[in-house]
Amino acid sequence: MTLVSSGQIASPNTISSHSICKTEALMIRFAGNVPVNSLQGRSYVHTYWGQGARSICLYSELPYDHGYNPTTNNSWWNVGSHNSLYYHQKLFTQFGGHGVNLAGRTANNSNLKIPSEIAEQYLFGISSIQFKLQNSTDFSIIYQCYVNGIGWLKASSDGEENCYQYDKPISSLRINLVPISEKQRFIDYWNRAI
């Protein structure tokens, strides 16, 4: 796992050196002089078992579902209070789960194991993210995903979905909190690399 902050790219060397690289789990924390639980998020997890499947993260033992997490339409997890775990003595909110693509894994309601030839492919993991701030009139949250073979997607902000296809997991992510007055300039700066 790589810990990054303030818009740095998570795993920049990984995305350039490995032909098969996907994100199975994200651990997000919001720190600084901001209200607790002010950041909310959602993710779409594409799994081998499909709709209705639930699995357990091998690292945190937290559950995750195929499709949107949280699963209820238009519901969000508050970073710092939902799906939380301690990592390096800091509280993180986890999206997705480690082990989505491991050979031999099964889901909650299936005895169907992932074949090893499938597990070795670039198929499963987090494929969409959304973040927003609660009750903020001064700041925007901006985020951008990298998809293997596609490149950087256009940056999204304030609850917009950042996704190429639900069956194409992201390889990397960057996220930043910016003043609303700087939002468009920052989005343009990130999008220049597309």
Side-chain angles (χ1 to χ4, degrees), residues 56-76:
I56 303 296
C57 175
L58 295 177
Y59 173 75
S60 67
E61 298 183 353
L62 290 170
Y64 57 93
D65 295 284
H66 177 93
Y68 272 105
N69 292 268
T71 56
T72 307
N73 286 344
N74 299 317
S75 60
W76 300 75

Side-chain angles (χ1 to χ4, degrees), residues 81-175:
S81 64
H82 289 95
N83 257 35
S84 296
L85 69 150
Y86 281 94
Y87 181 71
H88 287 270
Q89 290 79 45
K90 295 185 176 15
L91 188 64
F92 287 82
T93 295
Q94 180 175 313
F95 295 89
H98 172 63
V100 170
N101 206 38
L102 294 177
R105 284 293 306 272
T106 61
N108 65 326
N109 56 355
S110 171
N111 291 325
L112 187 61
K113 294 183 178 181
I114 300 177
S116 57
E117 64 273 9
I118 297 293
E120 294 169 3
Q121 298 178 39
Y122 175 79
L123 297 172
F124 309 109
I126 294 175
S127 59
S128 175
I129 59 161
Q130 294 172 271
F131 292 105
K132 69 178 185 175
L133 299 170
Q134 289 191 80
N135 307 320
S136 178
T137 56
D138 299 322
F139 291 93
S140 281
I141 193 83
I142 299 170
Y143 41 96
Q144 185 179 36
C145 296
Y146 182 93
V147 177
N148 187 58
I150 304 302
W152 287 105
L153 306 180
K154 287 187 177 180
S156 298
S157 65
D158 303 322
E160 297 171 337
E161 184 176 56
N162 202 246
C163 176
Y164 177 70
Q165 289 176 189
Y166 291 131
D167 61 353
K168 272 273 201 205
I170 66 173
S171 299
S172 190
L173 162 76
R174 54 185 169 186
I175 182 171

